[in-house]
Each structure stands twice: as structure tokens, then as C-alpha cells.
Amino acid sequence: MATPGSTTEEITARTCCAPANDAALDDSRSQHLAQVFKALGDPARVKLFSLIVASADGEMCVCDLTEPVGLSQSTVSHHMKLLVEAGLVTREQRGRWAYYRTVDGAVEKAARSVLTV
Amino acid sequence: MATPGSTTEEITARTCCAPANDAALDDSRSQHLAQVFKALGDPARVKLFSLIVASADGEMCVCDLTEPVGLSQSTVSHHMKLLVEAGLVTREQRGRWAYYRTVDGAVEKAARSVLTV
């Protein structure tokens, strides 16, 4: 903790233990976390993600994701791209179809990161 | 689990245990969850939320939130409004200033909801 009389330099050097008001996540970290949460910040993507979580073998073909969400394959693929880019889902092309799996612990890790700064 | 031969009515009545491919969150639930995640889908809001989490007494005045994120008070208030509307933060007006607290368990609950459909 900074004490009364600390110089600016001293406070800066103690970033690891700064008072709560200086404890904001840095730009890089907050941008990454925002990307993860934004990826889930859409009802269709929430559904798509939860469908894969709930799937019997933890994997779903894009061909099986369109009907439950009532969207075209190109729209589903766009949503899935954002989930992949956020690190929440992996994509594997097998023949004609793309298959998706959720990344273990990714949601929990993001949640923990904003709760334990 | 629905068994072969189940009627549509029976399957509907068993939403809790439907097969994986029918396990999409319903519209209302997925919209709510998307609102929660979208509220955190912005770097400034991630920072603001984490600042309150990390604050010494679990509460921060809007007057102390502007400097750490480098934004005007009106911009901070706008971001905070979205966090409040998503149920992640509560707001209390005391005299001139608004004070914010995070809602215990709100982030964890949203994370769990997409992980255990």
C-alpha cells in the first residue's frame, strides 16, 4: 500500500501491490477479456456455445448447429468464427464440414479474471 | 432422456433432460445471458467492474472511477448504467455522487449457465 508521502515514482514501482483504486486491469488484459465476453454477448452465440457444451461428445458439426438456432450456415459460421477468435471454441475442418469444440476452462478463466484482479 | 417413441408433448415436458441437440437455452434465457456478457464485452467496462471488485470496501464512487480509466464522468456513468442493467452492479445515489457495488455471484452464475445447460 502506498503511504502518505510516497512519491509518484514509489507508487508506480509498487504496481503489484497498489491500492485498490490503482488496481485496474491493464489495456491488453482488459481488451482480451472484453473480446471473450463480447463473443458471448449475443443470444445466438450463447445458444451455439451452450449447444456444444451440452452435446454428447463435446463436439458439434456446423451442419447440426443451424437447425437448433434457426440460422443459415453462413450466419452460424460467422458467429462461430467470433467464438474461435475469442479462444472459447476450437474449429476442425473434416472433409466438407467444420467441427467445433469448446475450450475447457476458457469461460471460467475469464470470469475469474474480472473477479480476482 | 427422451426415449424412442416419446411424443412431442412428453419431450417438451422434459426440457430439463432433453437430448443434447435439443438443449439450446431458450430465447429469454439466452438474451439475458447475452446482455450480461455484452455488458462485460468492452475494455472500459471490464476495467470499471474489476476496479470495484478490487476496491477496499467493495464499493466505489463514480468520482473515483473516472481517473483510473481515463474517461469523463458522463462516459463512466453510461458504462456503469449498462453494468447495472445487466445485473452485475448496483447503484446507490448518496448526495451528489453515485456509488457502485458489484452483485455477488452474478458473473459466476452467468458463466455457469452457459457451461451447464
Side-chain angles (χ1 to χ4, degrees):
Chain A
M1 293 287 282
T3 53
S6 292
T7 66
T8 303
E9 289 70 24
E10 282 172 336
I11 293 170
T12 305
R14 293 176 192 159
T15 303
C16 75
C17 317
N21 284 4
D22 295 331
L25 293 163
D26 67 29
D27 286 350
S28 166
R29 189 86 186 115
S30 58
Q31 277 166 19
H32 167 71
L33 289 169
Q35 183 186 17
V36 174
F37 290 121
K38 192 172 182 180
L40 288 172
D42 176 278
R45 291 195 292 275
V46 164
K47 281 190 188 181
L48 289 164
F49 184 85
S50 66
L51 278 166
I52 303 171
V53 167
S55 63
D57 54 2
E59 178 180 84
M60 282 189 76
C61 172
V62 67
C63 56
D64 292 321
L65 286 168
T66 53
E67 188 274 333
V69 293
L71 296 171
S72 70
Q73 192 179 312
S74 68
T75 302
V76 168
S77 293
H78 166 73
H79 284 310
M80 294 310 300
K81 186 166 181 281
L82 296 178
L83 290 170
V84 170
E85 286 172 353
L88 291 168
V89 164
T90 58
R91 177 188 189 280
E92 189 184 335
Q93 187 78 30
R94 294 211 292 273
R96 178 179 172 187
W97 303 113
Y99 290 78
Y100 298 97
R101 289 184 170 274
T102 57
V103 174
D104 283 350
V107 172
E108 297 93 322
K109 189 175 173 187
R112 268 200 309 274
S113 296
V114 293
L115 292 168
T116 55
V117 183
Chain B
M1 293 287 285
T3 51
S6 292
T7 66
T8 304
E9 288 73 22
E10 282 172 338
I11 293 171
T12 304
R14 293 175 192 160
T15 304
C16 74
C17 317
N21 283 3
D22 295 331
L25 293 162
D26 66 28
D27 286 350
S28 166
R29 189 85 186 115
S30 57
Q31 277 166 19
H32 167 71
L33 290 169
Q35 183 186 18
V36 174
F37 290 121
K38 193 173 182 180
L40 289 172
D42 177 278
R45 292 197 290 278
V46 164
K47 281 190 187 183
L48 290 163
F49 184 86
S50 65
L51 278 165
I52 304 171
V53 168
S55 63
D57 55 3
E59 179 180 82
M60 282 190 76
C61 173
V62 67
C63 56
D64 293 320
L65 285 169
T66 53
E67 188 274 334
V69 293
L71 296 171
S72 71
Q73 192 178 313
S74 67
T75 302
V76 168
S77 294
H78 166 71
H79 283 310
M80 294 310 299
K81 187 167 181 281
L82 296 178
L83 290 170
V84 170
E85 288 173 351
L88 291 168
V89 164
T90 58
R91 177 188 189 280
E92 189 184 335
Q93 186 78 30
R94 293 210 293 272
R96 179 179 172 189
W97 303 113
Y99 290 78
Y100 298 96
R101 287 185 171 274
T102 57
V103 174
D104 283 350
V107 173
E108 298 93 320
K109 189 175 173 187
R112 268 200 308 273
S113 295
V114 293
L115 292 169
T116 54
V117 183

